[in-house]
Amino acid sequence: MEQKKFDANSFIGLLLLGAIMLWFMYSSQQEVIPTDDTTETSVDSTKTTTSPTLTNNTTPLVASDSLKNAALQNQLGAFSYGAQTATEGTTVLENKLLKLTIDNKGGQIIEALVKTYKRYDSLPLYLIKDNNASFNINFGTTDNRILNTKDLLFIPTISKNGKNQVLSMKLKVSETQYLEYRYEMKPNNYMVDFAVRSQGLATVINSSNTINLDWDLKTYRNEKSIKTENMYSELKFFTDEADYLSAASSNDNEVVDNVQWVGFKQHFFTSILLSDKPFNKTSLTSINLVKDEEIDTVFTKHYQLNTPLALNNGELNYNMNWYYGPADYKLLTKYKGKNLGEIVDLGWGIFGAINRAIFIPIFGWLSGLMSNYGLIIILMTIVVRILMSPLVYKSYVSSAKMKVIRPELTAINERLPGKENAMKRQQETMAVQRKAGVSMMSGCIPALLQMPIFFALFRFFPSNIELRQKGFLWASDLSSYDSVIELPFHIPLYGSHISLFPILASIAIFFYMKMNQSQQANMQAPAQEGMPDMQKMMKYMIYLSPIMMLFFFNNYASSLSLYYFVSNLLTIIIMLVIKNYVIDEAKIHAQIEENKKRPEKKKGKFRQRLDNAMKQAQEQQTQQKKGKK
């Protein structure tokens, strides 16, 4: 049997093979470890403004950068140039009134702090924070990509323009080609200049695709009363005139043209985007996020704006403004030519005109004399009641005149009873009133003239930011309800607390209406057959009106309840003075008797036509009666 001999060549070969395998394993281990470290450090480094320097094994880093750049090129196309050097981070623009934090990602504002105000719970007041807002431009590129600026990294550059802070955020294609957001903040100003411009992108941006600007905001709750804040929070915009989306609707949407500014308004604060070029085909949406006003909530409204942007010679060029601050009428009207005062809800038509022309100047004058806003409201109420006292006087004079001729009117009703004599009875009643120089309208007109004052003030007090978080007596905030007792349960339409000022106002209006009942009874002619008895209706209203006020105003601004309490109290005093010390019924009676002796004035055309119409109706009624017989 042949024995196997030791083969030295084979042994040497095995040794060489083992050595090669050991060398390969060792080399592979040396490559893997630095590559992993490099990748991890690169990701973290995006939170800084400088890139880390690696001292060992640079070859894997170059390979990693190449792969990263290739991925960016594939994803972003031409915009991969800026993305290769851009890093994550934020920049702060700040003055004494406002602090804005702008993120490199998206180049947008991610925090807007209004420094001069606090929330209802004394926390800092942010209009933007924790991703409640988004600003984005969506566009297509010539290499068939759809990009969103909110997903891309901008490169920030801080500079100065005089005393103004300037932040340029650039989304680069090259050093000379970019999309730029430019922010410029002035000292002591809530308004920030904002521009959207492109340079050299005519061959990069696809002009056949629509370029859309999207602005989205969820508004934080900042006030004590969720119900009141939600009621006064609404999306406002200005075209040729101010308009708004419904605050009460759960979801309201409108498409409008020629939009000069859009305001995402809260009760006392607002975020506004203005543009020198009006937006067209602008879609505006307001969504109510408050489902139950008794449950605490973080957000009250969700506002959305979507509008196409127009290219000029293939480039974007829009000069805009951001306003983040108080919805203060006097402050907003200082921005001339922008109509920003329309943001504040002072009422429409004549009600807003009365507030702007009368109540805002009076309130401003009084607030310049003292700092106690409760006393300012009381003094303002006194001024308003004194100005309106001539109307109360005229109403009382008309009441006294009607009281004098009332026996004659009662005699006419007794002499001409029944529906068949209704027209004749009305003619004689009007003749007696005309001879005595008494007009039914003379009593109604003063009351009607007071109605615009009532509705104007109804809008003025809840919209006045100067009353926000200002206390008086037991009310800690005159812009919100004055809770004196918290209830352990909820009463429908009333709430889960008891406010004292609405109770006082309800008591005052009860006594006012009680006193006014006799006056109204004098103003009314005796009840005629077939006609409703107004006196009975007034008796019901005496009790119904205070109850309605008690429920309605329990959750409303305590400043408004304070005004109505003081106003009704003063009106009662004025009525007592006029009744007991000004009106002389004997003198009025003598004047009426004198009027009766005078020859009747020639009838005007309107009165003549009215008398003829009543006469014809009476004749037809008589003929119909004869025909039935």
Side-chain angles (χ1 to χ4, degrees), residues 343-392:
I343 286 280
V344 183
D345 189 5
L346 296 174
W348 56 272
I350 189 173
F351 311 126
I354 290 172
N355 279 325
R356 286 186 286 268
I358 300 174
F359 294 132
I360 289 177
I362 291 176
F363 190 91
W365 173 65
L366 290 173
S367 59
L369 299 177
M370 61 184 68
S371 58
N372 188 312
Y373 283 87
L375 293 178
I376 289 172
I377 292 172
I378 292 172
L379 288 175
M380 183 174 174
T381 309
I382 293 172
V383 171
V384 171
R385 294 320 306 177
I386 290 173
L387 292 175
M388 294 175 64
S389 58
L391 298 177
V392 179

Side-chain angles (χ1 to χ4, degrees), residues 12 129 149 168 170 179 214 252 279 282 338 390 475 480 597:
I12 293 170
K129 190 181 181 183
T149 58
S168 171
K170 289 183 179 178
L179 173 66
D214 296 299
D252 195 9
F279 299 137
T282 304
K338 299 183 183 298
S480 188
K597 295 176 183 178

